[in-house]
Amino acid sequence: MVLSVCVGSSCHLRGSYSIIHEFQQLIREHGLEDRVTLQANFCAGRCQKAVAVKVDGDSCFELDSTDVDGFFADYVLGALNP
């Protein structure tokens, strides 16, 4: 699984680096380093509300720091451990 977090200007100002750090921590906590790749990308075109995050290059979500744990549980753990 690949998680791509936008680090473009708008998303950067909305906290993309904090979200990246939270994802890094969650990936380590759940021992998913060999199953989840975390990468930064530029403008996903959905920067109006929050930080844009893509899953496997397809689905794009808008997250803020309060959404990370729930998103990770639903879209990462839920997909890897159905």
Side-chain angles (χ1 to χ4, degrees):
M1 171 179 286
V2 177
L3 294 178
S4 302
V5 180
C6 180
V7 294
S9 300
S10 182
C11 288
H12 171 71
L13 293 173
R14 288 182 170 86
S16 61
Y17 286 97
S18 294
I19 289 174
I20 288 171
H21 292 297
E22 289 182 57
F23 277 145
Q24 288 173 327
Q25 182 178 353
L26 288 165
I27 290 167
R28 277 192 305 272
E29 284 176 11
H30 292 277
L32 297 174
E33 296 91 346
D34 60 334
R35 297 183 70 193
V36 177
T37 300
L38 181 61
Q39 62 187 27
N41 68 333
F42 287 98
C43 198
R46 300 213 20 207
C47 311
Q48 295 81 7
K49 298 178 186 173
V51 177
V53 176
K54 286 188 177 183
V55 177
D56 288 332
D58 293 328
S59 304
C60 190
F61 302 87
E62 296 168 352
L63 300 180
D64 63 32
S65 61
T66 63
D67 301 328
V68 174
D69 288 331
F71 175 87
F72 194 84
D74 292 344
Y75 294 97
V76 177
L77 296 177
L80 295 176
N81 304 312

